[in-house]
Amino acid sequence: MGIIIGIIQGFGALDYPVVAFGDTGLGFGSLFIELGQYLGQALLLSIGLILFLTAVNLVLADWLRNSWVVTALQLILLAVAWIAPPMRYSPLTYFKLDPVITGTLAKQMDNAQYTTGLGLSVLIGSSAILIALMVVSRLIQGWLTRRPAMAAAK
């Protein structure tokens, strides 16, 4: 219903101010970002999170081959992400979208490097590493399964 009303009446102004923390030119302080910018960054981080969780799911499903165990481990990963301490290059840090986008996390950690851009690169990089790990694992499995067949053929 909200989508229909939004299409007919309009979705509203995306220049609505949202309080954030960042570089004000005079140091690290509070500033305003537009709602459209906030939603765009949330969309980018969400896409990165989807890629990361898909990569984790693929690796776990390839190694364990049991959907119940994979689902349980995914749920444990989500729970750990909420209690894990923030670390700059840990993908678990960027599961909490609002503190990253508004700069609250950067203010708490007193480090301006906790940004959406770094979060997106960490999530995509971690996803690439996991996919590469899965490909190498599959290559090794294929090599090990073919090797005994070759030895028996000789």
Side-chain angles (χ1 to χ4, degrees):
M1 189 68 173
I3 294 175
I4 295 170
I5 293 171
I7 291 172
I8 295 171
Q9 299 287 329
F11 287 101
L14 293 179
D15 59 352
Y16 186 80
V18 176
V19 177
F21 297 96
D23 187 15
T24 61
L26 299 173
F28 197 76
S30 62
L31 49 90
F32 291 106
I33 60 173
E34 294 180 355
L35 179 62
Q37 182 181 359
Y38 179 90
L39 293 175
Q41 290 180 12
L43 179 66
L44 286 174
L45 269 179
S46 296
I47 290 170
L49 284 170
I50 290 168
L51 289 173
F52 176 72
L53 288 173
T54 301
V56 169
N57 193 16
L58 287 172
V59 169
L60 290 175
D62 188 50
W63 288 351
L64 301 177
R65 302 191 192 282
N66 185 333
S67 62
W68 289 103
V69 175
V70 170
T71 302
L73 289 176
Q74 285 280 74
L75 290 173
I76 290 170
L77 175 70
L78 291 174
V80 167
W82 283 102
I83 60 172
M87 293 177 279
R88 196 174 332 158
Y89 298 111
S90 170
L92 300 179
T93 301
Y94 302 99
F95 276 58
K96 301 173 194 164
L97 299 181
D98 185 63
V100 174
I101 296 169
T102 59
T104 308
L105 181 65
K107 184 179 180 196
Q108 284 177 342
M109 300 305 294
D110 196 26
N111 189 342
Q113 291 183 348
Y114 289 96
T115 62
T116 304
L118 179 66
L120 188 61
S121 63
V122 165
L123 290 168
I124 290 174
S126 299
S127 301
I129 289 170
L130 286 171
I131 296 297
L133 189 63
M134 187 181 74
V135 167
V136 168
S137 170
R138 286 242 172 144
L139 289 173
I140 291 172
Q141 285 176 350
W143 181 73
L144 289 175
T145 56
R146 276 189 237 127
R147 187 173 173 108
M150 285 189 233
K154 288 183 180 181

